[in-house]
Amino acid sequence: MLIKEYRICMPLTVEEYRIGQLYMISKHSCEQSGGGEGVEVIKNESDTHPQHGPGQLTEKRIYLNSKLPSWAKAFVPRLFYVTEKAWNFYPYTITEYSVSFLPKFSIRIETRFENNNGNNDNVFEDTPTPAENVSFLDILSDPIPEKHYKESEDLGHWQSSKTGRGPLEKGWRDDHKPIMCSYKRVQCSFEVYGFQTRTEEFIHKNIRDILLVGHRQAVAWIDEWHGLNLEEVREYERAMQEKTNSKVKSNNTGPPAASRPAFSRSISATDERSLKKMGVTTAATSDPSLSSVPQSPMRLNSTPE
């Protein structure tokens, strides 16, 4: 199991980002969906945590077969999706990822948002992450995949007409006001001999890219969401979910989402033999109704964001 903590600062306040995060996730999911791939929202409802209070539970299916590396496609079924369950008890969130036919695969992300520049070394108030496993991601200067680069989202050129913020300059984390930090503790596990290290490193690389792109967009799009209240951004979220679900279902050659069979039935005989050779036992998709809130702290019992 590979555990890393990512710290991503933004020129926002924690209260502002509560709106910006919901807006960014909804818009980004819609942009990345289409032709049968992308993010399909299955559930989005209110929930309550005994420690963190009221919040929101969201369950999604992420279809991304074409985005897998060639070595992974060799043993992944054609109808492939990842289940994401997210509990948003802002400013604390939990996100877990699971794959029905790979019970030994799991990702869990704990996030806490604070109004500082990433200087809290025990933000989760349990066991501090070793310094060598902590990475600061700079939304201004850290490289992102070329396919995700847009000049309008380059924060070195960005200027907000609503807030007067921007552009960011080198060393901005040291003196920018306001400033907040998104602390993310990512636990990744793929306990299959011969694939573990390679897969876990691949997952962390992709999580890093996703975090950089998403947080850059939240800042770059500030003039689109700044000034919205929670009710207004939830309405935007509902509208975008309908649009996103429609885009995912378009050109999808498989059965509709409501009637998709469990993966144990969709894997070919060749796929199943390959998985068994790696020590993986296939399993049916878990009942989404059994989605109780994980107790905190919890360690990888299912699975970015």
Side-chain angles (χ1 to χ4, degrees), residues 200-261:
E200 291 179 356
E201 289 177 350
F202 169 76
I203 291 169
H204 271 285
K205 179 184 182 302
N206 278 269
I207 287 174
R208 178 188 179 281
D209 290 342
I210 290 169
L211 292 178
L212 275 171
V213 172
H215 287 76
R216 282 165 58 107
Q217 289 176 333
V219 175
W221 297 341
I222 189 171
D223 287 345
E224 299 177 29
W225 58 260
H226 197 273
L228 297 178
N229 59 37
L230 190 57
E231 182 179 345
E232 289 170 333
V233 79
R234 285 293 185 193
E235 181 57 37
Y236 173 82
E237 184 182 49
R238 284 189 289 271
M240 294 301 283
Q241 284 174 3
E242 291 181 7
K243 185 177 180 180
T244 300
N245 285 0
S246 177
K247 291 174 68 175
V248 171
K249 292 173 183 177
S250 67
N251 299 326
N252 196 329
T253 56
S259 60
R260 272 196 178 86

Side-chain angles (χ1 to χ4, degrees), residues 35-56:
E37 291 206 346
V39 181
E40 180 182 11
V41 180
I42 305 300
K43 181 186 299 185
N44 189 2
E45 60 190 29
S46 58
D47 201 6
T48 302
H49 189 281
Q51 177 183 353
H52 302 288
Q56 199 82 1

Side-chain angles (χ1 to χ4, degrees), residues 93-109:
T93 67
I94 306 166
T95 309
E96 296 186 344
Y97 295 85
S98 60
V99 181
S100 59
F101 72 98
L102 288 178
K104 295 187 178 183
F105 169 88
S106 59
I107 298 175
R108 184 173 190 268
I109 302 176

